[in-house]
Amino acid sequence: MRERGEPSVVHEPAGRQPVVREPAVWPEEFVARPRDRDALLVLASLEGIIPRDLHALAWREGSAAGCLRAIRRGAVGTDNDRTIAAAVRPDEVRKALAACGARARAPGDDEYPEALLHLADPPVCVFIRGQRLVPWPTAVTVVGSRTCTPYGHEIAEGIGAGLADAGVAVVSGAALGIDAASHEGALRAGGRTAAVLGSGIDVAYPRSNARLIDAIATDGQVLSEYPPGVPARPYRFPARNRLVAALGLAVVVVEGAEGSGSLITADFAQQLGRHILAVPGPVTAPQSAVPNELIRDLATLVRGPQDVLEAIGMAPVGATEDDDHPVPPGLSVEERAVLHRVSGASAAVEAVADAAGVSPARTLAALAALELRGLVASDGGRYRRTSSRSRRGW
């Protein structure tokens, strides 16, 4: 566990300055002992205490076992929480996890996505099926209507395939419509995709997407903050959407009618300082209401995967901005994102990090690597792009 986190920039609506939010960190000893790991599985099964309150409780009690004791003695939580806490057997949860090929990861574990710590209410535990999440790749979230049009399906599938082909993981919620199309596109391209469920890690919802979810678990990852056996309920999907928003550098909204859950995801993305992108549609089409509204108010208009890659600072391998600024092969995704945001005029690390959508610490590491390759130059803690004529080579 960390004692301090790297700050993340949260973009406020136009006219207001961004604010800096410290990532939510957990006590150093939160899951230090076997009894804490047992308690963690019980805490993840509770229904009454919300993640934000559980995070605060962790700092008061210091450990997962301490949190569970406080709930059992009635200091916090609901009567239903105490009933569940008395009924859940950690060994039974482990057996259910093994049966579906899933594993539990706590904050600080190597597979717990660090991006989730930028939430004000990070999950106390994440359950994962599929490939290992180390390291968590650069990802983009794609969301939209469950009852999408053929146009929306085609666009979402094309964005999923294009992002995957560029090495970007595609995150969505495994729902019907746009979610499924973006996952399918990524799988078709042989890339990485991750589905976040609003139900237990072993509960496919909708049932008709069970085969798709299994395919995602085979080649990518399926995540949930709910243990095996937890049914899908309407109130769990807004909670799921905050994880979907957090995991991507950007959120792309393809289609959505008024009141759509994709607007909730976009709201979470704005709070987290993520790029918000949207695909336009006919102004008279109900399914275009949300993306068109977002484009009017705050989102970047995108037409396909290339626009999304440009928005997150990724250019195709070998592409050039101009004769003086060629982009060499062999850069990591974050190095490309940072390089794309450094110009001939020197800029502070924080400004580059904000523009690139990368944490300041990771931006500094990327700038150091780029400086070693002669692609940027530093002067008093500020960085600028170098010209090709000033480089010794790549």
Side-chain angles (χ1 to χ4, degrees):
M1 301 291 169
R2 298 176 302 164
E3 291 293 340
R4 295 180 61 83
E6 302 165 0
S8 63
V9 177
V10 179
H11 296 284
E12 296 292 335
R16 293 163 59 184
Q17 291 297 315
V19 298
V20 175
R21 173 186 295 157
E22 287 288 336
V25 292
W26 298 75
E28 186 74 23
E29 302 296 313
F30 184 62
V31 288
R33 293 163 290 275
R35 65 175 179 269
D36 294 317
R37 293 284 173 172
D38 287 347
L40 185 75
L41 298 178
V42 179
L43 293 174
S45 303
L46 303 180
E47 297 181 354
I49 186 167
I50 62 176
R52 188 190 300 261
D53 291 344
L54 191 51
H55 181 250
L57 180 64
W59 277 106
R60 291 200 296 273
E61 299 296 331
S63 68
C67 291
L68 185 56
R69 286 194 298 271
I71 291 167
R72 281 175 169 163
R73 69 173 180 263
V76 292
T78 65
D79 289 341
N80 187 47
D81 284 333
R82 281 175 276 286
T83 299
I84 294 173
V88 172
R89 299 288 180 266
D91 285 347
E92 293 300 317
V93 178
R94 289 192 180 93
K95 288 179 182 177
L97 288 171
C100 68
R103 55 213 182 260
R105 294 294 182 261
D109 289 347
D110 61 357
E111 283 193 281
Y112 186 104
E114 188 177 352
L116 298 184
L117 296 178
H118 290 165
L119 292 165
D121 54 351
V124 69
C125 182
V126 174
F127 300 95
I128 304 170
R129 290 175 59 203
Q131 302 297 315
R132 280 177 55 80
L133 281 169
V134 179
W136 177 254
T138 296
V140 167
T141 295
V142 182
V143 296
S145 175
R146 287 177 171 82
T147 56
C148 67
T149 66
Y151 160 81
H153 188 282
E154 179 183 356
I155 293 294
E157 187 174 7
I159 289 175
L163 292 176
D165 191 56
V168 177
V170 176
V171 177
S172 199
L176 296 172
I178 297 301
D179 287 18
S182 65
H183 289 306
E184 289 163 356
L187 291 171
R188 175 168 56 82
R192 303 181 69 170
T193 186
V196 185
L197 306 182
S199 55
I201 188 63
D202 63 338
V203 178
Y205 184 85
R207 189 64 198 167
S208 58
N209 274 0
R211 184 173 296 179
L212 172 63
I213 293 170
D214 285 343
I216 294 170
T218 298
D219 295 326
Q221 296 83 27
V222 177
L223 298 87
S224 176
E225 62 182 314
Y226 305 114
V230 173
R233 294 287 184 265
Y235 64 85
R236 292 197 171 104
F237 290 101
R240 181 274 308 271
N241 289 351
R242 83 191 196 284
L243 307 187
V244 171
L247 289 172
L249 278 178
V251 170
V252 183
V253 179
V254 178
E255 286 187 328
E258 286 189 40
S260 167
S262 55
L263 188 57
I264 297 174
T265 307
D267 286 342
F268 281 125
Q270 185 183 18
Q271 294 168 25
L272 290 164
R274 303 299 195 252
H275 298 281
I276 303 174
L277 316 172
V279 176
V283 296
T284 57
Q287 298 291 25
S288 299
V290 168
N292 286 350
E293 177 185 342
L294 289 171
I295 292 167
R296 181 195 65 194
D297 294 340
L298 57 93
T300 299
L301 183 152
V302 296
R303 299 157 295 179
Q306 207 56 46
D307 287 345
V308 180
L309 292 170
E310 181 179 346
I312 64 172
M314 288 187 63
V317 172
T320 62
E321 291 178 354
D322 53 51
D323 290 341
D324 258 0
H325 295 121
V327 179
L331 299 183
S332 72
V333 171
E334 284 187 349
E335 288 166 359
R336 284 182 173 277
V338 169
L339 181 62
H340 187 69
R341 299 301 178 181
V342 180
S343 66
S346 63
V349 172
E350 292 78 7
V352 177
D354 185 17
V358 179
S359 74
R362 291 178 182 271
T363 296
L364 189 58
L367 287 167
L370 294 170
E371 188 174 14
L372 286 174
R373 298 188 67 166
L375 297 169
V376 301
S378 62
D379 181 17
R382 300 173 69 87
Y383 290 82
R384 60 177 174 79
R385 190 83 172 264
T386 61
S387 71
S388 60
R389 289 185 291 273
S390 68
R391 299 174 195 150
R392 293 186 301 272
W394 292 331

